[in-house]
Amino acid sequence: DAGVTQSPTHLIKTRGQHVTLRCSPISGHKSVSWYQQVLGQGPQFIFQYYEKEERGRGNFPDRFSARQFPNYSSELNVNALLLGDSALYLCASSFQGRETQYFGPGTRLLVL
Amino acid sequence: GENVEQHPSTLSVQEGDSAVIKCTYSDSASNYFPWYKQELGKRPQLIIDIRSNVGEKKDQRIAVTLNKTAKHFSLHITETQPEDSAVYFCAASRPGGSYIPTFGRGTSLIVHP
């Protein structure tokens, strides 16, 4: 049984560019959450989606957006990239957005 | 919002010793407290969790205790092994429409053989 998958694994962009990160949840899970993890810190919550509806939004600028598709996969979009956006972006899935979350391997984004 | 403080930031122990990591939280409504282990370059993995209706939970060499009054919870690892070396994160979340955890900054545990 596959766990949470994310693509791409690594990405290098330059300032001002746009990036799209993708996540597929565990089969049967209907909720996806996105987190940003900078080196030396814990994951910071960005978005949570359940049944294609946004359920929660963290303290991130409007350059960050996300959506969830009918198959429960999700995309995280970041516009006008800044150097400070360099981080590991983690996706986590859960059943109905409750409690236990299972993380994907992450996408490591480097902005030059 | 919720604020989670985690200590220590680094913990070095000898193989076979016990390790204790402590977290405090600010929101008294928080009722779910997971602990994650993250090895270098890998995803965070849930190792144990506790809900506010219990004070302690054990799973083999790992245990978590919760003091709701003081708003702190701790991870205890006994008989540490080199493969326990990793960064450990605590988190706290409150009930409601979604369980969105707030994470601590992490503790880097180093177990020396």
Side-chain angles (χ1 to χ4, degrees), chain A residues 4 35 37 40-43 45 48 55 97-101 103-105, chain B residues 32 36 38 43-44 46 49 51 89 96-101 103-105:
Chain A
V4 179
Y35 296 85
Q37 186 179 24
Q41 295 186 22
F45 171 72
Q48 185 181 90
R55 252 192 181 176
R98 300 299 181 186
E99 299 182 339
T100 305
Q101 300 196 352
F103 284 90
Chain B
Y32 176 65
Y36 288 86
Q38 187 174 27
R43 73 188 77 189
L46 179 72
D49 56 13
R51 291 168 177 77
F89 293 98
S98 58
Y99 285 81
I100 299 171
F103 286 82
R105 293 177 65 93

Side-chain angles (χ1 to χ4, degrees), chain A residues 9 12-14 18 25 27 30 33 37-38 44 46 48-49 54-55 59 62-63 79 86 90 95-97 99 102-103:
Chain A
T9 56
I12 300 175
K13 292 285 189 178
T14 57
H18 162 91
S27 178
K30 299 182 178 182
S33 298
Q37 186 179 24
V38 299
Q44 297 292 312
I46 309 175
Q48 185 181 90
Y49 277 79
E54 182 182 300
R55 252 192 181 176
N59 188 24
D62 292 343
R63 299 184 296 106
N79 292 322
S86 295
L90 293 162
F95 182 66
Q96 294 185 330
E99 299 182 339
Y102 298 89
F103 284 90

Side-chain angles (χ1 to χ4, degrees), chain A residues 1 19 36 41 47 54-56 71 84 109:
Chain A
D1 190 19
V19 68
Q36 180 194 66
Q41 295 186 22
F47 288 108
E54 182 182 300
R55 252 192 181 176
N71 66 354
L109 172 65

Side-chain angles (χ1 to χ4, degrees), chain B residues 21 33-35 48-51 54-59 62-66 73-77:
Chain B
I21 302 170
F33 308 92
W35 285 88
I48 196 167
D49 56 13
I50 191 168
R51 291 168 177 77
V54 298
E56 184 176 3
K57 183 177 179 181
K58 289 184 179 180
D59 183 3
I62 294 173
V64 57
T65 58
L66 171 65
F73 56 112
S74 300
L75 177 71
H76 304 253
I77 305 175

